[in-house]
Amino acid sequence: MGCSSLPASYAVCSNFHINAPSLPILSTMSLHPRSRHRSFHLSPSLFNNGLKNRILLLKDINKSSSHTNQKFSIRSSSTSSGEASLNIKLVIVCSSITVMLAVANRVLYKLALVPLKQYPFFLAQLNTFGYVAIYFVILYIRYRKGIVTDEMLSIPKGTFIIIGILEALGVAAGMSSGAMLPGPTIPILNQTFLVWQLAFSSLLLGRTYSWNKIAGCLLVIAGIVVAVASGDGQMLSGIELVWPILMVASSSFQAGASILKESIFVNATSRLKGKSLDIFVVNSFGSGFQALFVFLLLPFLSSLKGIPFSELPTYIMNGAGCFLNVGGNTVGCNGAPLLPLLYIVTNIAFNISLLNLLKISSAVVSSLASMTSVPISIYILSRPLPYLQDGASLSRFFLLGIIILLIGLLLYNMPPLRTKKDP
């Protein structure tokens, strides 16, 4: 082992380098018989031989050190390759879990609205404000256990404020345009979310994407549009242009927020000296500022849903009674509280899984996983389910859209072709 790899033993190695070549010189000391006193004499030839031995020994050490370093670099490269392979496998596993949770989240949301069909605005606000308390409780527990550190909590909060504003604007724009648009057009227009993410990721994070990833994302969007579309080209007839534009703008707000969340993880790595930022820090503060700005927009949002702000407290109380299935006004609330609670638990798990996937990969990968769940959810919801006994037939466009979507996913995950061989 070379001494350069052992800093703590540098002094020992230095002594060896200096003294070892001197041994032949000391062993060749001679005593002149004509001298009255014993004296040591170093002959020039022996001195030269000793010097040669010193040079040869240093060369051997350098060769050995070079050979050791070469072995070390090979091991390091192999380790990096192994870590990259492990990371890819981790992303695939987490993506699969996220897709399953996303499907369960969409299906259970539809089932939760069966007992709460008169109170969808209550369920939306329960998600917004209830999750803040849940996330901060989890954050506090993780802080007490030492998982979350003071350094993690001290990261700048300015980005979280922007995230809260963007998500609140996304909710406001989405609700206002959604009230004016036909139902089938909403998931189609929402697919622009991925396009916005690609653009913001390039502008804000400086990322570049190969042709196959860009083409794959576009094919995923096209596949979902084909699968969701009914084939009727007149869905937007008679609708003012401002409403679909506002729905697309809603997707841009949400996409910008997701890119900023990714930037928080990227910047925290250097700020925390290589430590990984806990996802509940981002979840808690992001949800907290979103709830703050949604609260400020609450009069506007309630009026969009046809609920006068003066009647909002009564609406919330009736919604809570139906959610818990208690009280005198619970007609049509069959399935509560089981279905709404299942949705809430699944939604929390999905949000945590989605943010974790964003942390270990990117916002684009997490969006692809979430978008993949759309046609799968449509298929499941077309089958007879508890509380939803009436199924629905799917057109041929659905199968075609699924095929296009799968091609897009394969193309996105295909490694780019190399034009030159690595040296």
Side-chain angles (χ1 to χ4, degrees), residues 17 104 170 199 204 239 353 367 371 410:
H17 289 168
L204 301 179
I239 303 297
S353 176
S367 293
M371 291 172 66
L410 290 174

PDB file of all heavy atoms in Angstrom, residues 17 104 170 199 204 239 353 367 371 410:
ATOM      1  N   HIS A  17      11.573   5.823   3.938  1.00  0.00           N
ATOM      2  CA  HIS A  17      12.152   6.241   2.661  1.00  0.00           C
ATOM      3  C   HIS A  17      13.551   6.790   2.859  1.00  0.00           C
ATOM      4  O   HIS A  17      14.422   6.621   2.012  1.00  0.00           O
ATOM      5  CB  HIS A  17      11.275   7.313   2.011  1.00  0.00           C
ATOM      6  CG  HIS A  17       9.973   6.761   1.508  1.00  0.00           C
ATOM      7  ND1 HIS A  17       8.946   7.548   1.123  1.00  0.00           N
ATOM      8  CD2 HIS A  17       9.560   5.485   1.337  1.00  0.00           C
ATOM      9  CE1 HIS A  17       7.927   6.798   0.719  1.00  0.00           C
ATOM     10  NE2 HIS A  17       8.289   5.544   0.851  1.00  0.00           N
ATOM     11  N   ALA A 104     -54.695   4.409  -6.858  1.00  0.00           N
ATOM     12  CA  ALA A 104     -55.577   4.267  -5.686  1.00  0.00           C
ATOM     13  C   ALA A 104     -56.116   5.623  -5.251  1.00  0.00           C
ATOM     14  O   ALA A 104     -57.293   5.737  -4.848  1.00  0.00           O
ATOM     15  CB  ALA A 104     -54.817   3.607  -4.540  1.00  0.00           C
ATOM     16  N   GLY A 170     -52.760  28.230  -8.651  1.00  0.00           N
ATOM     17  CA  GLY A 170     -53.141  27.065  -9.447  1.00  0.00           C
ATOM     18  C   GLY A 170     -54.515  26.547  -9.065  1.00  0.00           C
ATOM     19  O   GLY A 170     -55.322  26.182  -9.931  1.00  0.00           O
ATOM     20  N   ALA A 199     -40.015  22.808 -19.667  1.00  0.00           N
ATOM     21  CA  ALA A 199     -39.550  24.168 -19.941  1.00  0.00           C
ATOM     22  C   ALA A 199     -38.943  24.807 -18.693  1.00  0.00           C
ATOM     23  O   ALA A 199     -37.837  25.373 -18.747  1.00  0.00           O
ATOM     24  CB  ALA A 199     -40.719  25.018 -20.452  1.00  0.00           C
ATOM     25  N   LEU A 204     -34.940  27.089 -15.155  1.00  0.00           N
ATOM     26  CA  LEU A 204     -34.600  27.359 -13.761  1.00  0.00           C
ATOM     27  C   LEU A 204     -33.474  26.478 -13.237  1.00  0.00           C
ATOM     28  O   LEU A 204     -32.664  26.922 -12.415  1.00  0.00           O
ATOM     29  CB  LEU A 204     -35.845  27.178 -12.882  1.00  0.00           C
ATOM     30  CG  LEU A 204     -37.040  28.076 -13.221  1.00  0.00           C
ATOM     31  CD1 LEU A 204     -38.213  27.777 -12.296  1.00  0.00           C
ATOM     32  CD2 LEU A 204     -36.653  29.552 -13.127  1.00  0.00           C
ATOM     33  N   ILE A 239     -67.413  27.574 -25.977  1.00  0.00           N
ATOM     34  CA  ILE A 239     -66.670  27.927 -24.762  1.00  0.00           C
ATOM     35  C   ILE A 239     -65.716  29.077 -25.084  1.00  0.00           C
ATOM     36  O   ILE A 239     -64.990  29.042 -26.086  1.00  0.00           O
ATOM     37  CB  ILE A 239     -65.865  26.721 -24.232  1.00  0.00           C
ATOM     38  CG1 ILE A 239     -66.789  25.545 -23.958  1.00  0.00           C
ATOM     39  CG2 ILE A 239     -65.095  27.100 -22.967  1.00  0.00           C
ATOM     40  CD1 ILE A 239     -67.824  25.775 -22.890  1.00  0.00           C
ATOM     41  N   SER A 353     -44.949   9.769  -1.297  1.00  0.00           N
ATOM     42  CA  SER A 353     -44.245   8.970  -2.296  1.00  0.00           C
ATOM     43  C   SER A 353     -43.839   9.816  -3.496  1.00  0.00           C
ATOM     44  O   SER A 353     -42.728   9.680  -4.032  1.00  0.00           O
ATOM     45  CB  SER A 353     -45.136   7.812  -2.752  1.00  0.00           C
ATOM     46  OG  SER A 353     -44.529   7.063  -3.776  1.00  0.00           O
ATOM     47  N   SER A 367     -43.671  13.358 -12.535  1.00  0.00           N
ATOM     48  CA  SER A 367     -44.872  13.684 -13.305  1.00  0.00           C
ATOM     49  C   SER A 367     -45.261  12.547 -14.236  1.00  0.00           C
ATOM     50  O   SER A 367     -46.444  12.244 -14.401  1.00  0.00           O
ATOM     51  CB  SER A 367     -44.644  14.957 -14.124  1.00  0.00           C
ATOM     52  OG  SER A 367     -44.511  16.065 -13.268  1.00  0.00           O
ATOM     53  N   MET A 371     -48.774  10.778 -14.254  1.00  0.00           N
ATOM     54  CA  MET A 371     -49.601  10.804 -15.460  1.00  0.00           C
ATOM     55  C   MET A 371     -49.940   9.404 -15.946  1.00  0.00           C
ATOM     56  O   MET A 371     -51.000   9.181 -16.535  1.00  0.00           O
ATOM     57  CB  MET A 371     -48.879  11.586 -16.560  1.00  0.00           C
ATOM     58  CG  MET A 371     -48.766  13.075 -16.272  1.00  0.00           C
ATOM     59  SD  MET A 371     -47.713  13.920 -17.470  1.00  0.00           S
ATOM     60  CE  MET A 371     -48.701  13.724 -18.938  1.00  0.00           C
ATOM     61  N   LEU A 410     -41.393   4.006 -22.876  1.00  0.00           N
ATOM     62  CA  LEU A 410     -40.219   3.241 -23.301  1.00  0.00           C
ATOM     63  C   LEU A 410     -39.187   4.154 -23.951  1.00  0.00           C
ATOM     64  O   LEU A 410     -37.983   4.019 -23.713  1.00  0.00           O
ATOM     65  CB  LEU A 410     -40.641   2.135 -24.269  1.00  0.00           C
ATOM     66  CG  LEU A 410     -41.438   0.971 -23.665  1.00  0.00           C
ATOM     67  CD1 LEU A 410     -41.911   0.028 -24.764  1.00  0.00           C
ATOM     68  CD2 LEU A 410     -40.594   0.200 -22.645  1.00  0.00           C
TER      69      LEU A 410
END
